[in-house]
Amino acid sequence: MKAKAETRGSGDSKIHQLASKIFAMIEQRVSYTLDSTLETVDSAEQAASRIATEAGFDDDEVMRIAMAVREAAVNAVLHGNAYDPGKKVSLAFEQTGDKLVITIKDQGKGLDPDKIPDPLAPENLLKTSGRGIFLIRSFMDEVVISATQTGTEIKLVKHVHGPSEGVKEASQ
Amino acid sequence: MSMKTSTRQVDGVTIVDCSGRITLGEGSVILKDVVRELLSKGQKKILLNLGDVNYIDSSGIGELVSAFTTVRNQGGELKLLNLTKKVHDLLQITKLYTVFDVKDDEAGAVKSFS
């Protein structure tokens, strides 16, 4: 994928820029260990926004990714760790090829995703909570929730559609 | 930017001009307090102007729902005015767009209160 994009990029600055962004994404990983506070929620959102921008997502996609991360961080801080100062939230961003993988893990009792009521059901529409996971699923390409008795891990995946398409074109 | 509000009266309707972010924590608390205070003063016709609200999260959505039902349960009406595209889209995907009475013209919105 890499070589083909580079060949095409030499004659097309836009494709070249996109390809450069893909190269920048390859095998990069950054992780944070954060306190169970509201500041963590804001920090996670800001980090997601910055990293998604650097990864080449457009403004709308950056907003969706940042919001999904914010919602996952809210779940970790509030529902998982319940603001317990002795418990931490792990946040990791991994850029591999054409996708951004974000993992958020708490040290709570473990969330059972099957027990989350459907927020779109008529009887739940006027509930004041319970939309976080739904929004995360709406905004990300893949969402995997793994819960154990020692915490919940949520993995969010978003593909960089724009650059992927450019590379696809280049390979034809 | 955190959330800020200011209120004004137009023909018996209280318009709450909101700006910033309605999110978990301060933003949601401010909205809750404003609505609670208006109700305590008997002001039950409330128009939330969200024209300068550029971000809202699930907690903020929850707070809007809470405000809506609280006002309605006290015999009042709460409507939304001037949604930004982001907020509009969020209310669409959460199926709340048809639950709220959403307006895009202030004068018309004020007249719509019974």
Side-chain angles (χ1 to χ4, degrees), chain A residues 45 67 70-71 126 128 134, chain B residues 21 56-58 62 65 93:
Chain A
E45 178 193 348
M67 188 160 187
R70 179 182 180 85
E71 295 294 341
L126 288 180
T128 57
F134 168 77
Chain B
R21 294 160 55 99
I56 185 166
D57 67 2
S58 68
V65 171
I93 62 173

Side-chain angles (χ1 to χ4, degrees), chain A residues 38-103:
Chain A
L38 274 183
E39 287 72 27
T40 283
V41 173
D42 291 334
S43 301
E45 178 193 348
Q46 288 159 11
S49 183
R50 189 185 70 248
I51 290 170
T53 301
E54 289 169 1
F57 291 98
D58 66 28
D59 289 348
D60 284 345
E61 293 283 56
V62 168
M63 191 278 291
R64 292 188 188 106
I65 293 165
M67 188 160 187
V69 170
R70 179 182 180 85
E71 295 294 341
V74 167
N75 280 347
V77 168
L78 261 76
H79 306 304
N81 292 351
Y83 292 116
D84 184 340
K87 293 180 177 175
K88 301 292 181 186
V89 175
S90 305
L91 170 66
F93 297 88
E94 195 169 0
Q95 303 171 353
T96 52
D98 68 341
K99 67 183 180 183
L100 176 61
V101 181
I102 305 156
T103 309

